[in-house]
Amino acid sequence: MKRGSLAGWVFAAPALIVIGVFFGLPVLSALALSLTDFDLYALADPHNLRFNGLGNYIDLLQTPMFWKSLGNTAYFVVAGVPLSIGVSLGAALLLNAPAARFKALFRTALFAPVVTTLVAVAVIWRYLFHTRYGLVNWGLGQVGINPIDWLGDPNWAMPTIIGFAVWKNFGYNMVIFLAGLQAIPKDLYEAARIDGASRWQQFLHITLPMLGPVLLVVGVITVSGYFQLFAEPYVMTRGDPLQSTVSVLYFMFEEGFKWWNLGRASAVAFLLFLIILAVTTLMLRFGKRRELV
């Protein structure tokens, strides 16, 4: 091995060790446990542990609750990710506008929800959307709209959680978009204005193409994060009403720590890992193909 190659491996070793310990080992452990009937009895005595191969996966694919939780999670991702990215990009465009004032103040204020404690803020939102005493329904009542059971109606519970998640997380993507916008050369906009391009045309033909790599990164981060929905329904609805807010991770939590079916819970975790891996891989390939075009 050449000295330069050896030096590279030495410098990369700490990162590779961290990745192996905190990513590789958990994935392999989840895979191993998912092939067994690991439960409370096996936790008390390892001799009760039995290998059942793909039995957990076959059983999960025949479980209606798993498909319902997957559908709820897909709904959350499909509706929440575009909304989150749109709000983040809109806020970044406003902060990047030449006419904007007090940019540091607004940037800090809009980023503040990201660093707040999720559980504490979720409890506050639960009271804000309370049917009788919530501030939101009080505001609706002032304009003659009847109170809405935001967290008790299956049609409104998930949209309410999506709104909370967008508010909680959009500031992180906003900062990334703001950095991308500030990296776009101003000469492009000046040339477009000289050619008579409107602001909308500048946005479509300059801003969006130049933000392509940033949009891809933000999309991958947001999708992978939104697939891991758990704390919001756990604190705000406990998966109700009518199990309309049960996510895949919430289903995994109940399987593992309510019913102590740790083998099935590991199978759920590994299936979710494979789903996230497949979706993000498709997004990356699509993004690279667009760059080549």
Side-chain angles (χ1 to χ4, degrees), residues 252-286:
M252 180 195 72
F253 167 79
E254 287 199 329
E255 285 290 325
F257 298 101
K258 182 178 181 180
W259 309 115
W260 292 101
N261 296 322
L262 298 175
R264 277 170 56 90
S266 298
V268 175
F270 199 74
L271 282 175
L272 180 62
F273 165 75
L274 292 178
I275 292 172
I276 295 175
L277 181 64
V279 173
T280 54
T281 300
L282 288 175
M283 292 178 64
L284 290 172
R285 289 189 176 182
F286 177 76

Side-chain angles (χ1 to χ4, degrees), residues 30 33-34 36-40 43 56 255-257 259-267:
L33 286 179
S34 69
T36 67
D37 64 345
F38 194 82
D39 56 11
L40 187 62
L43 189 64
N56 288 328
E255 285 290 325
F257 298 101
W259 309 115
W260 292 101
N261 296 322
L262 298 175
R264 277 170 56 90
S266 298

Side-chain angles (χ1 to χ4, degrees), residues 29-148:
S29 299
L31 177 60
L33 286 179
S34 69
L35 302 176
T36 67
D37 64 345
F38 194 82
D39 56 11
L40 187 62
Y41 299 102
L43 189 64
D45 186 359
H47 292 93
N48 294 323
L49 183 65
R50 293 175 298 180
F51 177 80
N52 61 359
L54 298 178
N56 288 328
Y57 294 93
I58 297 173
D59 190 34
L60 280 175
L61 296 178
Q62 296 174 350
T63 302
M65 193 61 229
F66 171 74
W67 290 106
K68 185 174 181 62
S69 66
L70 185 59
N72 293 337
T73 304
Y75 171 35
F76 179 78
V77 172
V78 171
V81 170
L83 185 59
S84 178
I85 293 177
V87 173
S88 303
L89 181 57
L93 288 170
L94 290 175
L95 287 177
N96 193 55
R101 297 292 182 268
F102 308 108
K103 293 184 179 181
L105 174 63
F106 285 108
R107 184 167 60 243
T108 303
L110 293 175
F111 186 77
V114 178
V115 297
T116 55
T117 304
L118 191 150
V119 174
V121 179
V123 171
I124 294 174
W125 270 64
R126 187 176 64 184
Y127 285 106
L128 286 175
F129 285 90
H130 193 278
T131 307
R132 294 183 59 186
Y133 310 110
L135 184 62
V136 175
N137 277 333
W138 177 85
L140 293 177
Q142 300 303 306
V143 295
I145 300 177
N146 294 327
I148 298 174

Side-chain angles (χ1 to χ4, degrees), residues 208-268:
L208 283 183
M210 294 297 291
L211 282 180
V214 179
L215 280 168
L216 178 61
V217 171
V218 169
V220 170
I221 293 174
T222 308
V223 166
S224 60
Y226 273 45
F227 262 112
Q228 301 175 58
L229 172 68
F230 172 72
E232 292 89 341
Y234 179 77
V235 176
M236 299 176 72
T237 63
R238 292 287 179 172
D240 290 322
L242 300 178
Q243 300 174 329
S244 61
T245 58
V246 174
S247 64
V248 175
L249 275 186
Y250 191 89
F251 175 69
M252 180 195 72
F253 167 79
E254 287 199 329
E255 285 290 325
F257 298 101
K258 182 178 181 180
W259 309 115
W260 292 101
N261 296 322
L262 298 175
R264 277 170 56 90
S266 298
V268 175

